Amino acid sequence: MSGESMVRKGLNSTLYGNRLTAAVRLLLGAMLLLSGALKLPDPGQFAQVIARYDIIPPDLVPYAAVLVPALEALLGLLLAVGYRIRAAACLSLLMMLAFAAFITVNLVRGRSFDCGCFEVSRLGIELVDTVSVWVVVRDLVFAAGFALVVRAQRHLFSLEYLVERSRLKNLEKPKYE
Amino acid sequence: MRLLKDIIAIVVAAAAAGLAINLFHPRGFVPVSRQDLALKRVVSISEAEAKIKYDAGMALFIDAREKVAFEAGHIAGAVNIPADDPPAGALDALMDRPREIVFYCDGAECGAAAKLARAMIGRGYGRNLYVIVDGFPGWEERGYPVERSGK
């Protein structure tokens, strides 16, 4: 088998859903779950982060501060567990694109502040995460990961996969003997 | 169609969870709390961050302590506006300053600096205000520039 066709085969298998796809899903899910869970304990602080972006009207900021961390955590949980994967990945994809767009707008405005992407300082980790092209690229890479998960047909190591497999197995058994 | 249904279900569930958490959170939002957000414009900073503003010459330092404490020692170049008894017009004079304003008092517990900052926001000051968390003791401890004006 030539090298090119092996690459193509690997790519197709990843697009269909192999272990790599599952790893991407689990990693991204864990990341969302972590970043959502870290923001949940302090909606006030996250509201300040949102307010810094100056995009959402001030009156709506508290609602966003309440919704976004819960949504992140829930999406992360769904992706990691593997339930309603496609919907969760779709939403995550939209969210990442929105984050990237928000940061881009502020970059174009020529502003510089901590992006507040992960509140890891709560864990005692000092991470300076200033808005920059790199953060946009990172969000787009995450978005590509979510797009892969949306496109995939099969999700190994997921609840959906387990349920489907056991259903198919039981189909083969005759109902009455 | 099922995808759309799932997406809506997820958003609704997240909103419900978020609102529930907010409801029981000790520092949760009261729905539509413009006042609350206005107060959030008072930003707490460390001495080190204050020093950066100090070195850049971009900030006006306001000492919110009593006159006696101010004279015994204050951040070099700071202006004294006691929070308990601000001189008439002192805060109004700050309103249209182009510089950032940093308040401080005797540390995290004193509250005088935050009180002045809130008074500024109450007057319609539109930009962020800064409060040095550890106040003057923290500043002095780090060996940053201090000035004495007492006898």
Side-chain angles (χ1 to χ4, degrees):
Chain A
M1 204 191 288
S2 74
E4 197 195 343
S5 82
M6 265 183 59
V7 169
R8 176 156 300 168
K9 202 172 161 219
L11 189 66
N12 280 337
S13 134
T14 306
L15 285 178
Y16 176 69
N18 58 10
R19 284 185 199 164
L20 182 63
T21 321
V24 167
R25 193 193 82 238
L26 292 172
L27 279 177
L28 287 176
M31 178 198 79
L32 274 184
L33 183 57
L34 183 74
S35 75
L38 286 174
K39 284 169 197 156
L40 272 180
D42 201 344
Q45 201 196 350
F46 188 58
Q48 269 180 291
V49 172
I50 299 177
R52 272 200 299 246
Y53 282 85
D54 274 337
I55 289 178
I56 294 178
D59 287 352
L60 297 182
V61 166
Y63 296 99
V66 165
L67 176 64
V68 172
L71 190 60
E72 268 188 70
L74 182 62
L75 290 176
L77 188 68
L78 289 175
L79 284 173
V81 171
Y83 180 67
R84 311 269 152 149
I85 294 169
R86 177 163 277 183
C90 252
L91 267 176
S92 310
L93 173 62
L94 291 177
M95 203 162 68
M96 280 301 142
L97 292 179
F99 288 166
F102 283 13
I103 294 172
T104 308
V105 167
N106 275 288
L107 281 179
V108 172
R109 284 175 180 167
R111 296 171 48 176
S112 172
F113 52 85
D114 183 15
C115 78
C117 307
F118 307 97
E119 297 288 335
V120 282
S121 57
R122 215 182 295 286
L123 298 179
I125 305 167
E126 288 283 337
L127 175 75
V128 180
D129 217 2
T130 314
V131 288
S132 63
V133 177
W134 141 243
V135 176
V136 176
V137 170
R138 189 181 67 189
D139 277 355
L140 291 179
V141 169
F142 290 156
F146 288 123
L148 171 69
V149 177
V150 172
R151 200 187 177 288
Q153 307 288 317
R154 183 180 69 159
H155 302 283
L156 298 176
F157 310 112
S158 73
L159 196 63
E160 275 178 7
Y161 184 68
L162 273 179
V163 169
E164 183 66 9
R165 213 172 48 173
S166 81
R167 192 181 70 89
L168 289 177
K169 211 180 246 172
N170 289 334
L171 273 183
E172 286 157 14
K173 279 191 206 154
K175 263 185 185 163
Y176 310 101
E177 289 190 272
Chain B
M1 251 320 91
R2 167 153 178 241
L3 182 66
L4 197 64
K5 235 186 219 169
D6 281 359
I7 286 179
I8 292 170
I10 290 174
V11 172
V12 169
L19 286 174
I21 291 168
N22 183 60
L23 195 60
F24 294 104
H25 192 279
R27 278 168 289 130
F29 285 106
V30 180
V32 192
S33 56
R34 203 185 306 211
Q35 181 67 24
D36 189 29
L37 263 182
L39 295 184
K40 302 263 180 214
R41 287 213 307 270
V42 179
V43 182
S44 300
I45 57 175
S46 66
E47 319 72 86
E49 286 169 294
K51 183 66 163 44
I52 292 169
K53 293 183 187 299
Y54 181 89
D55 288 341
M58 61 205 259
L60 178 65
F61 284 73
I62 303 291
D63 192 315
R65 300 173 301 164
E66 298 295 319
K67 194 157 183 279
V68 184
F70 177 78
E71 285 175 351
H74 54 261
I75 294 179
V79 176
N80 185 212
I81 302 182
D84 290 331
D85 179 28
L91 290 180
D92 289 325
L94 294 177
M95 290 298 287
D96 44 28
R97 286 289 181 112
R99 293 206 283 176
E100 290 180 338
I101 303 177
V102 179
F103 296 94
Y104 70 93
C105 46
D106 264 333
E109 306 299 323
C110 61
K115 189 176 165 190
L116 271 190
R118 282 200 299 273
M120 290 287 289
I121 284 176
R123 278 158 196 263
Y125 187 81
R127 286 175 290 151
N128 278 351
L129 291 161
Y130 301 88
V131 171
I132 306 178
V133 175
D134 289 335
F136 184 66
W139 180 277
E140 198 175 26
E141 205 172 287
R142 291 213 177 199
Y144 294 157
V146 169
E147 200 170 70
R148 280 166 230 286
S149 55
K151 290 133 244 172

